[in-house]
Amino acid sequence: RRIADLAADSGIFHMTWMRGTMIAKGECKMVWSDGTEQELASPNSDELWDWMTRLIVDYAKISVEHPALIGVFLDYENYSPESRGNCYDLSFDDKIMGEFAEAIGQQLPELPFAERSRWLRENHLLDAFGDFQINGWRERCRALRQAVDAINPTFQFCVYPAPGTLLMTEAAFLEWGTEAAPVIWADPSIYGRPAGLVPHREALETNRDILLNNMEVARSKGVPFMYAGGLDPVVRGADPEFSGRNAAMSSCVTDGYWIFYEGPTYETTHPEYFRWFGRANRQIVRGTECRWAFRQRETVDPG
């Protein structure tokens, strides 16, 4: 509430950031296809979905009284030990294996984690197992969207990192986007320059192609969405002018841009970054972002 009110006082909107994962307190943990078990709650655990639903529904309630709060930003990057990728892919935990066995009316052997994916594949059950698990995710995502809609139908979900994991592309994006509240895809693929220090113009052109290709995944889902390329000043090669022009370039081919703002300090490079973001924003408002993004550099290119 306090942050939403601060945003309102400044004439801007706010999305609450939260993890899309949690450390499991119960026994239902994420099990990857190679058998690795992480400390994270499985995407099939009631614990994870009860926690997410409770928080997000509360945020939706706050948004009714504090309309500067417009949604939630869900971070599915996997920071936990033994990571095998961002969250979530299929899990091979005991809970989902038991539920699948019951659904197909077949008793499955008691297998170590590391043998489950291979056994399902060799017995021609892996595709059915995947469909069963994804359908469960979709039901949970749909229930959460319905609970939010009952409170504030314009409340938006923003999901990172896009184009995304199996949970996102096959469940969350399909169920969380509506005409009143398009789901937002937060793409980190253009944080800086490809390969670190590709020359300025070549880097912008490559980043544009990356966004155009990634957006095809979003379009293929046939649901309302917004797409935004992400910037990160701490990434090598993301100097102030490049970041500003990268922001304009992203806005030229997507619905805008977002910033993981780390690196600059108020005493050093912060003013310069915001001078270039400000210039980019003015070009975006004028509708000249494409021309401006690819103009000749004005400062020395560190690349």
PDB file of all heavy atoms in Angstrom, residues 18-22 46-56:
ATOM      1  N   MET A  18       7.633 -10.436  -6.980  1.00  0.00           N
ATOM      2  CA  MET A  18       7.706 -11.588  -6.076  1.00  0.00           C
ATOM      3  C   MET A  18       8.317 -12.772  -6.809  1.00  0.00           C
ATOM      4  O   MET A  18       8.298 -12.846  -8.050  1.00  0.00           O
ATOM      5  CB  MET A  18       6.328 -11.957  -5.525  1.00  0.00           C
ATOM      6  CG  MET A  18       5.333 -12.445  -6.568  1.00  0.00           C
ATOM      7  SD  MET A  18       3.744 -12.949  -5.845  1.00  0.00           S
ATOM      8  CE  MET A  18       4.169 -14.585  -5.210  1.00  0.00           C
ATOM      9  N   ARG A  19       8.888 -13.674  -6.056  1.00  0.00           N
ATOM     10  CA  ARG A  19       9.377 -14.918  -6.633  1.00  0.00           C
ATOM     11  C   ARG A  19       8.197 -15.768  -7.086  1.00  0.00           C
ATOM     12  O   ARG A  19       7.131 -15.745  -6.473  1.00  0.00           O
ATOM     13  CB  ARG A  19      10.175 -15.708  -5.592  1.00  0.00           C
ATOM     14  CG  ARG A  19      11.401 -15.000  -5.062  1.00  0.00           C
ATOM     15  CD  ARG A  19      12.535 -14.986  -6.087  1.00  0.00           C
ATOM     16  NE  ARG A  19      12.909 -16.321  -6.453  1.00  0.00           N
ATOM     17  CZ  ARG A  19      13.230 -16.699  -7.708  1.00  0.00           C
ATOM     18  NH1 ARG A  19      13.206 -15.812  -8.685  1.00  0.00           N
ATOM     19  NH2 ARG A  19      13.571 -17.933  -7.975  1.00  0.00           N
ATOM     20  N   GLY A  20       8.394 -16.525  -8.161  1.00  0.00           N
ATOM     21  CA  GLY A  20       7.399 -17.504  -8.576  1.00  0.00           C
ATOM     22  C   GLY A  20       7.709 -18.876  -8.027  1.00  0.00           C
ATOM     23  O   GLY A  20       7.073 -19.863  -8.402  1.00  0.00           O
ATOM     24  N   THR A  21       8.718 -18.934  -7.162  1.00  0.00           N
ATOM     25  CA  THR A  21       9.138 -20.187  -6.539  1.00  0.00           C
ATOM     26  C   THR A  21       9.230 -19.976  -5.035  1.00  0.00           C
ATOM     27  O   THR A  21       9.232 -18.852  -4.554  1.00  0.00           O
ATOM     28  CB  THR A  21      10.516 -20.630  -7.056  1.00  0.00           C
ATOM     29  OG1 THR A  21      11.493 -19.644  -6.673  1.00  0.00           O
ATOM     30  CG2 THR A  21      10.524 -20.778  -8.561  1.00  0.00           C
ATOM     31  N   MET A  22       9.346 -21.074  -4.295  1.00  0.00           N
ATOM     32  CA  MET A  22       9.555 -20.979  -2.854  1.00  0.00           C
ATOM     33  C   MET A  22      10.324 -22.202  -2.381  1.00  0.00           C
ATOM     34  O   MET A  22      10.279 -23.269  -3.006  1.00  0.00           O
ATOM     35  CB  MET A  22       8.213 -20.897  -2.109  1.00  0.00           C
ATOM     36  CG  MET A  22       7.356 -22.137  -2.230  1.00  0.00           C
ATOM     37  SD  MET A  22       5.835 -22.072  -1.258  1.00  0.00           S
ATOM     38  CE  MET A  22       6.491 -22.070   0.407  1.00  0.00           C
ATOM     39  N   ASP A  46       0.694 -28.364  -3.618  1.00  0.00           N
ATOM     40  CA  ASP A  46      -0.353 -27.463  -3.118  1.00  0.00           C
ATOM     41  C   ASP A  46       0.275 -26.315  -2.335  1.00  0.00           C
ATOM     42  O   ASP A  46      -0.238 -25.195  -2.358  1.00  0.00           O
ATOM     43  CB  ASP A  46      -1.316 -28.232  -2.216  1.00  0.00           C
ATOM     44  CG  ASP A  46      -2.068 -29.318  -2.962  1.00  0.00           C
ATOM     45  OD1 ASP A  46      -2.238 -29.187  -4.191  1.00  0.00           O
ATOM     46  OD2 ASP A  46      -2.472 -30.312  -2.330  1.00  0.00           O
ATOM     47  N   GLU A  47       1.384 -26.595  -1.683  1.00  0.00           N
ATOM     48  CA  GLU A  47       2.066 -25.584  -0.875  1.00  0.00           C
ATOM     49  C   GLU A  47       2.450 -24.366  -1.718  1.00  0.00           C
ATOM     50  O   GLU A  47       2.212 -23.221  -1.318  1.00  0.00           O
ATOM     51  CB  GLU A  47       3.325 -26.210  -0.265  1.00  0.00           C
ATOM     52  CG  GLU A  47       4.177 -25.282   0.567  1.00  0.00           C
ATOM     53  CD  GLU A  47       5.474 -25.941   1.011  1.00  0.00           C
ATOM     54  OE1 GLU A  47       5.888 -26.962   0.407  1.00  0.00           O
ATOM     55  OE2 GLU A  47       6.078 -25.423   1.962  1.00  0.00           O
ATOM     56  N   LEU A  48       3.035 -24.601  -2.885  1.00  0.00           N
ATOM     57  CA  LEU A  48       3.448 -23.505  -3.765  1.00  0.00           C
ATOM     58  C   LEU A  48       2.253 -22.690  -4.232  1.00  0.00           C
ATOM     59  O   LEU A  48       2.248 -21.458  -4.147  1.00  0.00           O
ATOM     60  CB  LEU A  48       4.204 -24.066  -4.970  1.00  0.00           C
ATOM     61  CG  LEU A  48       4.552 -23.041  -6.061  1.00  0.00           C
ATOM     62  CD1 LEU A  48       5.598 -22.054  -5.564  1.00  0.00           C
ATOM     63  CD2 LEU A  48       5.044 -23.754  -7.333  1.00  0.00           C
ATOM     64  N   TRP A  49       1.216 -23.360  -4.701  1.00  0.00           N
ATOM     65  CA  TRP A  49       0.076 -22.660  -5.281  1.00  0.00           C
ATOM     66  C   TRP A  49      -0.776 -21.971  -4.225  1.00  0.00           C
ATOM     67  O   TRP A  49      -1.317 -20.895  -4.477  1.00  0.00           O
ATOM     68  CB  TRP A  49      -0.740 -23.620  -6.133  1.00  0.00           C
ATOM     69  CG  TRP A  49      -0.005 -23.960  -7.394  1.00  0.00           C
ATOM     70  CD1 TRP A  49       0.810 -25.040  -7.599  1.00  0.00           C
ATOM     71  CD2 TRP A  49       0.044 -23.186  -8.590  1.00  0.00           C
ATOM     72  NE1 TRP A  49       1.356 -24.988  -8.855  1.00  0.00           N
ATOM     73  CE2 TRP A  49       0.902 -23.866  -9.494  1.00  0.00           C
ATOM     74  CE3 TRP A  49      -0.552 -21.999  -9.000  1.00  0.00           C
ATOM     75  CZ2 TRP A  49       1.176 -23.390 -10.771  1.00  0.00           C
ATOM     76  CZ3 TRP A  49      -0.287 -21.518 -10.278  1.00  0.00           C
ATOM     77  CH2 TRP A  49       0.566 -22.203 -11.150  1.00  0.00           C
ATOM     78  N   ASP A  50      -0.875 -22.551  -3.058  1.00  0.00           N
ATOM     79  CA  ASP A  50      -1.605 -21.883  -1.971  1.00  0.00           C
ATOM     80  C   ASP A  50      -0.896 -20.593  -1.573  1.00  0.00           C
ATOM     81  O   ASP A  50      -1.535 -19.562  -1.343  1.00  0.00           O
ATOM     82  CB  ASP A  50      -1.714 -22.804  -0.752  1.00  0.00           C
ATOM     83  CG  ASP A  50      -2.668 -23.968  -0.981  1.00  0.00           C
ATOM     84  OD1 ASP A  50      -3.416 -23.937  -1.978  1.00  0.00           O
ATOM     85  OD2 ASP A  50      -2.652 -24.908  -0.158  1.00  0.00           O
ATOM     86  N   TRP A  51       0.420 -20.649  -1.491  1.00  0.00           N
ATOM     87  CA  TRP A  51       1.214 -19.467  -1.134  1.00  0.00           C
ATOM     88  C   TRP A  51       1.091 -18.376  -2.193  1.00  0.00           C
ATOM     89  O   TRP A  51       0.838 -17.207  -1.889  1.00  0.00           O
ATOM     90  CB  TRP A  51       2.676 -19.895  -0.954  1.00  0.00           C
ATOM     91  CG  TRP A  51       3.654 -18.765  -0.860  1.00  0.00           C
ATOM     92  CD1 TRP A  51       3.893 -17.970   0.222  1.00  0.00           C
ATOM     93  CD2 TRP A  51       4.541 -18.319  -1.893  1.00  0.00           C
ATOM     94  NE1 TRP A  51       4.884 -17.054  -0.074  1.00  0.00           N
ATOM     95  CE2 TRP A  51       5.289 -17.252  -1.362  1.00  0.00           C
ATOM     96  CE3 TRP A  51       4.777 -18.719  -3.204  1.00  0.00           C
ATOM     97  CZ2 TRP A  51       6.265 -16.575  -2.102  1.00  0.00           C
ATOM     98  CZ3 TRP A  51       5.741 -18.049  -3.949  1.00  0.00           C
ATOM     99  CH2 TRP A  51       6.474 -16.999  -3.404  1.00  0.00           C
ATOM    100  N   MET A  52       1.270 -18.757  -3.481  1.00  0.00           N
ATOM    101  CA  MET A  52       1.172 -17.779  -4.562  1.00  0.00           C
ATOM    102  C   MET A  52      -0.218 -17.161  -4.625  1.00  0.00           C
ATOM    103  O   MET A  52      -0.371 -15.944  -4.774  1.00  0.00           O
ATOM    104  CB  MET A  52       1.483 -18.445  -5.914  1.00  0.00           C
ATOM    105  CG  MET A  52       2.917 -18.306  -6.329  1.00  0.00           C
ATOM    106  SD  MET A  52       3.153 -18.440  -8.132  1.00  0.00           S
ATOM    107  CE  MET A  52       2.107 -19.771  -8.620  1.00  0.00           C
ATOM    108  N   THR A  53      -1.229 -17.999  -4.514  1.00  0.00           N
ATOM    109  CA  THR A  53      -2.607 -17.514  -4.617  1.00  0.00           C
ATOM    110  C   THR A  53      -2.934 -16.550  -3.490  1.00  0.00           C
ATOM    111  O   THR A  53      -3.531 -15.480  -3.719  1.00  0.00           O
ATOM    112  CB  THR A  53      -3.595 -18.695  -4.612  1.00  0.00           C
ATOM    113  OG1 THR A  53      -3.318 -19.537  -5.741  1.00  0.00           O
ATOM    114  CG2 THR A  53      -5.027 -18.202  -4.677  1.00  0.00           C
ATOM    115  N   ARG A  54      -2.544 -16.908  -2.295  1.00  0.00           N
ATOM    116  CA  ARG A  54      -2.836 -16.036  -1.147  1.00  0.00           C
ATOM    117  C   ARG A  54      -2.219 -14.640  -1.336  1.00  0.00           C
ATOM    118  O   ARG A  54      -2.885 -13.624  -1.144  1.00  0.00           O
ATOM    119  CB  ARG A  54      -2.313 -16.682   0.131  1.00  0.00           C
ATOM    120  CG  ARG A  54      -2.654 -15.893   1.399  1.00  0.00           C
ATOM    121  CD  ARG A  54      -2.185 -16.609   2.647  1.00  0.00           C
ATOM    122  NE  ARG A  54      -0.728 -16.669   2.739  1.00  0.00           N
ATOM    123  CZ  ARG A  54      -0.002 -17.762   2.523  1.00  0.00           C
ATOM    124  NH1 ARG A  54      -0.599 -18.908   2.195  1.00  0.00           N
ATOM    125  NH2 ARG A  54       1.310 -17.742   2.632  1.00  0.00           N
ATOM    126  N   LEU A  55      -0.949 -14.597  -1.734  1.00  0.00           N
ATOM    127  CA  LEU A  55      -0.286 -13.306  -1.909  1.00  0.00           C
ATOM    128  C   LEU A  55      -0.898 -12.497  -3.053  1.00  0.00           C
ATOM    129  O   LEU A  55      -1.192 -11.308  -2.913  1.00  0.00           O
ATOM    130  CB  LEU A  55       1.205 -13.521  -2.186  1.00  0.00           C
ATOM    131  CG  LEU A  55       2.127 -13.686  -0.982  1.00  0.00           C
ATOM    132  CD1 LEU A  55       3.555 -13.968  -1.453  1.00  0.00           C
ATOM    133  CD2 LEU A  55       2.100 -12.442  -0.113  1.00  0.00           C
ATOM    134  N   ILE A  56      -1.081 -13.143  -4.192  1.00  0.00           N
ATOM    135  CA  ILE A  56      -1.532 -12.412  -5.373  1.00  0.00           C
ATOM    136  C   ILE A  56      -2.972 -11.932  -5.202  1.00  0.00           C
ATOM    137  O   ILE A  56      -3.315 -10.816  -5.615  1.00  0.00           O
ATOM    138  CB  ILE A  56      -1.360 -13.282  -6.635  1.00  0.00           C
ATOM    139  CG1 ILE A  56       0.149 -13.510  -6.889  1.00  0.00           C
ATOM    140  CG2 ILE A  56      -2.010 -12.625  -7.850  1.00  0.00           C
ATOM    141  CD1 ILE A  56       0.451 -14.509  -7.982  1.00  0.00           C
TER     142      ILE A  56
END
